[in-house]
Amino acid sequence: EPDPLITEVQDWASTTGAGVDATPYGLPIEYESDVVRRTVPWLTADPISSINFTPIHALDGTITPQGCAFERHHSGAISLRKEDYRLMINGLVDTPLVFTYEDLERFPRENRTYFLECAANTGMEWAGAQLNGAQFTHGMIHNMEYSGVPLRTLLAEAGVQTEGKWVYVEGADASSNGRSIPLEKALEDCMVATRANGEALRMEHGYPARLVVPGWEGNMWVKWLRRIEVTNGPVESREETSKYTDTLADGTSRKWTWVMDAKSVITSPSPQAPITHGHGPLVITGMAWSGRGAITGVDVTMDGGKTWQKARLAAPGQDKALTRFYLDTEWNGEEMFLQSRARDETGYIQPTKDQLREVRGENSVYHNNGIQTWWVNGNGEAENVEIS
Amino acid sequence: ATPVPVVDGATDTLNGQGDTMAVAGEDTAPAHAKFGLGRVALPEEIAAWNLDIMPDGTGLPEGEGDVWTGDEVFAENCAVCHGDFAEGVDNWPKLAGGKGTLDRKDPVKTVGSYWPYLSTTYDYVRRSMPFGMAQTLSDDDVYAIVAYILYSNDLVDEDFVLSKDTFLDVEMPNADGFIVDDRAETEYDQFSQEPCMESCKESVEITMRAAVLDVTPDHGGDEAAAEPAPEDDASQMAEATPEEATAESAEESASAPAAESEAAPETADASTPDAAPESADDSEPEAAAEEAAAVAVAADPELVAAGEKVFKKCQACHQVGEGAKNRVGPVLNGVVGRTAGTLDGFKYSKAMIGAGEEGLTWTSETLHEYLADPKGYLKGNKMAFAGLKKPDDVDAVVAFLEAHP
């Protein structure tokens, strides 16, 4: 039976489409309207101090569009004009300085691609499988190309004194969200970014300037960055003591757990991205990342870990950035237990959830980088499960 | 070299070191040419922003506060979210209790049970609280609030007065409860073993399914995606997350199962892009403005739009428009014309209910008086808002509320 979509002249092949100015700044086509950030209302007391999730199940490649990259605000996303923006460097420096936005644009800048993962990503899964969808289990992550000034350049402009061992960074919003960062890291690869993926930062990502702290938990990437203070010790602010610390089984807690360990997840098939095409060729895909360097390999299993095979990396892993992987396979309706396992350049291999629980117990909230399992049934539908 | 202003103890060491510019930083920062950009930060500017307080109390301001003053200040500014006894309302943080729970499932982490440094409490309250009105408290009020929180945690006696002098007398019970990240020692070696690739296990059994205690929002994906887990038992949600599940989430879970017939239309709505929470928020004001224009010819669209901006000050606690829910404060749809303290499902203060019973109705006039000075107009009501100082702002926000009948 001939396909009428081919044999009959369609409207779009006969009439005209939209003119060039129909959308001066475009949104995705209406058919992709399901690819949006989503929140889990019961997680927090109020949407102003809350989090939502990147629709990773529907994205490909490695760059996350700003418009659907997850948001986490502690006191709401503020609207701050470039003209009203000030960045102060004070503390143990030779000359405390104030920069305007325009000043920032006059320093030599770099372009770097990094992932940002919330320390709480996958946190709701510590005690067991709970949320059905990669967006909800692993969506507190994004990966963007940042343009900005290396933090070391700005610090050098003020002149760090020898007593300076830490920097304390804070935002202009009401939460201020201050965090202490060792000076070594500040000088190594942190940057003050003004653009992401080529365009100005979106309001929700810290317009007009945010801190980039490669490989370290997202909470330290202070948005609406307004002040950098060089100190001789950590401030021990609320976000580095009462939050973003990891309580172990015996009740002691780890602090300063900044780095995000190697992790991966299959984004399709997954609960929000079931197999709908029937038997035959199937593309299994996902993403992997490590805060300690580049991803060097990803293994995928379809039988719950009895046998593993090496996935194909779409490109060689980059330092502290997302890597896309594919496993091009055949599916003939058999039940699958899909898992992925990342390896980074330090030789670290993504652990199972049970391995993590063995060390840390079940009371942790943050830093759950355990291997995720999707159970795919004969209809191609997937569910978040844990397996023996 | 530019003289270096000394702002607080953290920068005391700068004294007399203004000339080290050429050498300073060489052992830490790579050598860099100076660009001569920016300007010197003035002492007043640094003082205005540099609020941080170090664990040893460096940076604490002058002043003091006692427990009983704290009780009052807390009741007025904090209790609406954190409860009269710092026990937490709904999902808002508990600030007291939790002693001895850290090694249990679902530890209760409060200032008393968990926070290692008292400095953090003062620092955080002063810079970020109350939620939606940060940096409006006096230093003495902050001392009083912190003293009350300590008292609520049985850490100080009722006659305690907190100041920079007594600050270090307070012992924080969990001060020794933290270790520095030891993943490198405890995990990295065992998580770097060559993994098995072939014949790694005999069998695979499912030990846990998300569908059993599914707490996934029902607009979690396309319809096909929602199907694999239709028999979710939302009543288990409370068990799944005992700490987080609140009255509010329970309410939502009650309407969550897509299997129930009534909830189905809602699910369908929610999966359309317009109903996604964010876009809903975004579209709301426009829709509201249109509606207002259509309904009330007299309404000045510019004033309503200005009121929408002013309303940002209110929205930490109040919602308005389609889908608005009671939060810390009641829904404000239809507030104009409503008798005070009468919206179903919201727990008002006695003062507000009393005022309603005595005949207070919210009109443009009464709202004007109330919003200019909420505490003065209605003593004992629990709205923790200092009031709108500019008459124009009051006009605008009242117009905005009138546009939401």
Side-chain angles (χ1 to χ4, degrees):
Chain A
E1 197 68 7
D3 185 348
L5 281 166
I6 297 172
T7 57
E8 289 168 18
V9 175
Q10 302 296 315
D11 280 353
W12 58 80
S14 177
T15 63
T16 55
V20 288
D21 278 339
T23 35
Y25 204 125
L27 286 167
I29 194 163
E30 58 195 298
Y31 316 120
E32 296 295 315
S33 57
D34 200 45
V35 184
V36 290
R37 295 181 277 230
R38 293 189 173 86
T39 188
V40 175
W42 52 262
L43 264 187
T44 51
D46 191 292
I48 291 171
S49 177
S50 192
I51 194 153
N52 59 22
F53 302 82
T54 309
I56 54 171
H57 62 288
L59 302 178
D60 209 322
T62 57
I63 295 294
T64 316
Q66 286 200 64
C68 69
F70 89 96
E71 305 163 72
R72 180 11 168 172
H73 318 305
H74 293 78
S75 204
I78 59 168
S79 159
L80 176 57
R81 301 188 319 157
K82 284 176 182 169
E83 294 84 345
D84 298 335
Y85 179 79
R86 301 289 184 272
L87 174 63
M88 180 187 290
I89 300 187
N90 72 304
L92 299 170
V93 294
D94 295 330
T95 315
L97 293 173
V98 173
F99 301 113
T100 61
Y101 181 83
E102 203 169 39
D103 291 334
L104 288 186
E105 297 246 295
R106 297 171 70 192
F107 284 102
R109 56 183 179 266
E110 296 178 345
N111 286 222
R112 296 277 188 277
T113 301
Y114 295 117
F115 76 85
L116 178 161
E117 184 183 16
C118 177
N121 199 18
T122 323
M124 290 90 82
E125 303 282 307
W126 259 110
Q130 182 165 268
L131 287 158
N132 233 341
Q135 178 168 21
F136 300 109
T137 57
H138 290 75
M140 296 183 195
I141 187 165
H142 55 63
N143 190 66
M144 302 187 197
E145 184 202 48
Y146 296 96
S147 310
V149 185
L151 185 50
R152 78 177 82 84
T153 305
L154 299 176
L155 289 170
E157 192 72 12
V160 174
Q161 302 200 325
T162 44
E163 298 84 358
K165 299 288 181 244
W166 292 72
V167 294
Y168 176 75
V169 289
E170 71 182 24
D173 63 314
S175 81
S176 88
N177 189 36
R179 292 289 312 246
S180 308
I181 299 173
L183 186 63
E184 196 185 358
K185 176 69 175 176
L187 297 174
E188 183 194 345
D189 58 3
C190 293
M191 61 197 282
V192 176
T194 54
R195 307 252 180 13
N197 302 341
E199 63 177 356
L201 290 166
R202 298 282 174 95
M203 175 174 87
E204 65 271 29
H205 299 303
Y207 179 94
R210 83 171 309 166
L211 191 66
V212 170
V213 189
W216 288 18
E217 55 188 32
N219 179 254
M220 308 175 84
W221 300 44
V222 171
K223 298 190 281 194
W224 314 290
L225 180 70
R226 81 169 190 186
R227 196 170 67 94
I228 300 159
E229 179 182 359
V230 179
T231 61
N232 56 9
V235 169
E236 304 283 7
S237 71
R238 187 230 191 199
E239 308 302 345
E240 52 203 16
T241 54
S242 94
K243 307 288 174 187
Y244 304 101
T245 45
D246 308 285
T247 301
L248 304 170
D250 68 357
T252 60
S253 303
R254 288 175 176 161
K255 66 173 184 176
W256 302 352
T257 48
W258 300 307
V259 75
M260 303 306 295
D261 286 326
K263 186 168 173 180
S264 68
V265 64
I266 289 171
T267 50
S268 177
S270 66
Q272 296 159 286
I275 304 171
T276 54
H277 56 55
H279 301 178
L282 169 70
V283 173
I284 296 173
T285 188
M287 52 201 216
W289 61 95
S290 169
R292 296 172 66 211
I295 290 294
T296 52
V298 177
D299 303 324
V300 169
T301 179
M302 295 188 289
D303 57 16
K306 292 180 190 167
T307 57
W308 294 81
Q309 42 190 318
K310 289 198 177 312
R312 173 169 63 88
L313 302 189
Q318 289 182 63
D319 185 40
K320 306 179 183 79
L322 280 194
T323 298
R324 171 65 52 179
F325 65 85
Y326 295 103
L327 185 71
D328 308 295
T329 188
E330 291 274 322
W331 181 67
N332 291 306
E334 62 276 12
E335 173 184 80
M336 292 189 287
F337 291 100
L338 293 178
Q339 297 180 329
S340 62
R341 180 172 70 195
R343 174 199 301 254
D344 73 16
E345 61 178 286
T346 70
Y348 180 98
I349 295 173
Q350 184 182 2
T352 63
K353 291 183 182 177
D354 285 339
Q355 280 179 301
L356 285 176
R357 290 178 189 137
E358 188 78 15
V359 181
R360 304 186 198 166
E362 290 184 16
N363 292 345
S364 283
V365 176
Y366 307 108
H367 294 282
N368 181 355
N369 66 322
I371 289 173
Q372 173 66 42
T373 311
W374 304 127
W375 173 33
V376 181
N377 68 19
N379 296 326
E381 298 155 344
E383 182 185 333
N384 175 12
V385 298
E386 291 202 16
I387 55 173
S388 59
Chain B
T2 319
V4 178
V6 175
V7 257
D8 64 22
T11 51
D12 277 349
T13 48
L14 294 188
N15 273 323
Q17 295 193 8
D19 276 330
T20 52
M21 189 184 297
V23 212
E26 255 184 18
D27 58 343
T28 45
H32 255 87
K34 301 258 177 186
F35 295 90
L37 293 169
R39 62 164 176 84
V40 174
L42 302 176
E44 311 86 292
E45 293 173 332
I46 297 174
W49 276 5
N50 185 2
L51 299 176
D52 37 276
I53 295 157
M54 304 299 274
D56 66 1
T58 303
L60 278 170
E62 297 299 326
E64 61 174 40
D66 62 76
V67 170
W68 292 116
T69 308
D71 189 3
E72 282 171 30
V73 182
F74 191 92
E76 192 165 322
N77 294 284
C78 320
V80 62
C81 295
H82 297 293
D84 284 336
F85 306 101
E87 77 280 14
V89 174
D90 294 343
N91 247 358
W92 298 100
K94 295 175 175 51
L95 305 180
K99 208 171 144 191
T101 65
L102 297 183
D103 59 352
R104 296 190 207 153
K105 278 207 165 199
D106 304 312
V108 179
K109 298 181 175 180
T110 72
V111 172
S113 70
Y114 194 67
W115 293 34
Y117 303 105
L118 183 56
S119 56
T120 313
T121 316
Y122 194 97
D123 178 284
Y124 184 71
V125 173
R126 181 165 65 154
R127 73 168 71 222
S128 300
M129 289 288 119
F131 189 63
M133 271 188 300
Q135 301 195 59
T136 58
L137 296 167
S138 70
D139 289 344
D140 283 349
D141 280 352
V142 177
Y143 273 119
I145 286 170
V146 176
Y148 180 71
I149 293 172
L150 289 171
Y151 177 73
S152 304
N153 278 287
D154 299 324
L155 296 179
V156 297
D157 293 329
E158 59 183 32
D159 57 358
F160 180 72
V161 181
L162 182 66
S163 70
K164 67 200 301 184
D165 301 322
T166 59
F167 175 83
L168 285 175
D169 298 343
V170 181
E171 272 185 51
M172 299 297 277
N174 196 39
D176 297 327
F178 290 80
I179 53 170
V180 172
D181 187 2
D182 63 349
R183 281 176 289 174
E185 294 80 46
T186 55
E187 297 183 6
Y188 287 171
D189 187 46
Q190 65 156 313
F191 297 165
S192 301
Q193 305 298 316
E194 230 10 75
C196 173
M197 296 295 285
E198 295 274 344
S199 310
C200 304
K201 46 174 119 164
E202 291 280 308
S203 65
V204 169
E205 306 295 332
I206 295 176
T207 56
M208 196 165 325
R209 298 180 53 183
V212 174
L213 31 101
D214 195 3
V215 287
T216 314
D218 52 9
H219 55 295
D222 55 27
E223 280 161 57
E227 272 164 28
E231 276 91 36
D232 57 46
D233 183 358
S235 68
Q236 292 195 28
M237 183 163 146
E239 283 167 41
T241 53
E243 260 220 338
E244 334 250 26
T246 62
E248 188 188 293
S249 57
E251 218 178 271
E252 279 177 22
S253 77
S255 66
E260 304 296 329
S261 56
E262 294 240 346
E266 230 181 69
T267 317
D269 277 357
S271 67
T272 66
D274 283 349
E278 284 216 344
S279 23
D281 279 347
D282 289 342
S283 63
E284 212 170 76
E286 286 162 39
E290 276 170 34
E291 211 175 280
V295 174
V297 184
D300 170 358
E302 270 181 41
L303 193 60
V304 172
E308 187 193 329
K309 281 199 182 136
V310 178
F311 192 74
K312 283 186 177 176
K313 290 179 198 277
C314 321
Q315 69 189 18
C317 302
H318 291 285
Q319 294 193 345
V320 76
E322 205 177 321
K325 289 181 186 164
N326 288 331
R327 291 276 172 188
V328 170
V331 170
L332 294 181
N333 293 333
V335 67
V336 180
R338 186 193 293 162
T339 304
T342 57
L343 185 70
D344 271 357
F346 185 79
K347 276 188 227 155
Y348 290 94
S349 61
K350 279 186 189 146
M352 186 61 78
I353 293 170
E357 285 167 358
E358 280 167 30
L360 174 64
T361 297
W362 295 122
T363 63
S364 173
E365 290 70 36
T366 53
L367 277 172
H368 268 83
E369 289 177 48
Y370 180 55
L371 292 177
D373 179 14
K375 289 275 181 269
Y377 183 75
L378 193 58
K379 261 204 169 12
N381 91 82
K382 68 178 180 179
M383 183 161 88
F385 182 63
L388 293 166
K389 292 192 180 62
K390 296 181 192 157
D392 287 355
D393 283 354
V394 183
D395 290 344
V397 86
V398 170
F400 176 71
L401 292 173
E402 283 177 327
H404 287 83

